[in-house]
Amino acid sequence: MSTQQPDDDDVYTHGHHESVVRAHASRTAENSAAFVIPHLTPGVSVLDVGCGPGSITCDFAGLVSPGKVTGLDRSPDIIAQATALAVERGVANAEFLAGNIYDLDFEDETFDVVHAHQVLQHLTDPVEALREMRRVAKPGGIVAVRDADFHGMSWYPAIPELDEWMDLYQRIARRNGAEPDAGRRLVSWAQSAGFSNVAPTSSNWLYATGQQRRWQARVWGERVLHSAFAEQALEYGFANPADLARISAGWHRWGSTDDGWFLIPNGEVIARA
């Protein structure tokens, strides 16, 4: 295991405000990890790194039962929420642990599948994280990662405040030493981490119905004002409260359109050593 733990210093751009956790809890294996599902057969062991509130992890548990799924996140509070979700859903073959992606507390070659969803984009050293994920994967197993690509996002109609939001998000994430355009870099990162067999795919999240637009606008309208994103924007001097209020209002204006479209592309790789 590595002796250095940059995870201790990595800054999570989104934070764990209720609006963020609520959005993450809407993710399922089907809508966020479909590329992994063919590899999730009964009896398979899974490590879900950066599991968040556990919604994807619990779905994995249902697919691999009686195999065991372990969800890991660096926030003990989020681990408690994930554990509660497993109890609520009656998932008996999943456990949740607090831990560090750069220093996984598992023996070499422990898991058939090691998965991370929307994690690498927030790290200062995604290649080192992938090396550590590779270490705990069994021979013949896979490391599966999926990350959004922020500069690949597109929307309609043109809302100047959403352009401001994108610029602000890029500045904050890069100030944190992270890479918001992670999706397009996954193949490169996996190769740098020593994987010789890397299979890339991509998939989208699309918000283009009235319900989807309202949901997305509400999520980001709130996060712009109240999450760690807002706190960092103010702390770094990249925006003032009036700027954030204007951007939030722009999100809600987009959400109230009848023909709005917001597309989030995601890069995906299945990597084998």
Side-chain angles (χ1 to χ4, degrees), residues 19-192:
S19 60
V20 176
V21 176
R22 185 175 69 247
H24 291 176
S26 70
R27 295 171 178 171
T28 67
E30 183 177 3
N31 69 27
S32 298
F35 75 114
V36 188
I37 290 176
H39 303 273
L40 301 176
T41 54
V44 163
S45 59
V46 180
L47 174 64
D48 190 14
V49 184
C51 65
S55 55
I56 296 175
T57 322
C58 287
D59 283 353
F60 285 174
L63 294 169
V64 304
S65 180
K68 183 179 178 182
V69 176
T70 302
L72 182 140
D73 199 279
R74 75 176 189 176
S75 167
D77 289 342
I78 296 300
I79 288 298
Q81 292 186 43
T83 301
L85 178 67
V87 172
E88 177 186 328
R89 290 175 52 172
V91 176
N93 61 322
E95 68 170 350
F96 295 92
L97 306 169
N100 184 338
I101 192 171
Y102 298 111
D103 189 21
L104 298 170
D105 192 19
F106 305 103
E107 298 295 327
D108 294 357
E109 303 178 357
T110 298
F111 300 95
D112 297 301
V113 175
V114 184
H115 169 262
H117 183 261
Q118 310 298 341
V119 173
L120 298 186
Q121 64 183 282
H122 299 295
L123 304 181
T124 55
D125 196 345
V127 172
E128 179 58 31
L130 283 165
R131 289 193 188 106
E132 184 67 350
M133 293 169 70
R134 179 186 176 204
R135 180 186 67 78
V136 301
K138 292 179 181 180
I142 64 167
V143 171
V145 294
R146 182 178 192 253
D147 272 275
D149 192 304
F150 271 73
H151 266 145
M153 296 180 187
S154 60
W155 57 85
Y156 177 86
I159 303 283
E161 292 84 356
L162 295 192
D163 293 325
E164 289 187 68
W165 164 79
M166 175 60 72
D167 178 68
L168 182 57
Y169 188 93
Q170 291 279 340
R171 293 178 69 194
I172 292 170
R174 296 183 188 285
R175 168 66 169 74
N176 290 336
E179 177 48 74
D181 302 337
R184 69 188 72 181
R185 290 170 166 81
L186 295 184
V187 171
S188 177
W189 288 345
Q191 291 173 345
S192 296

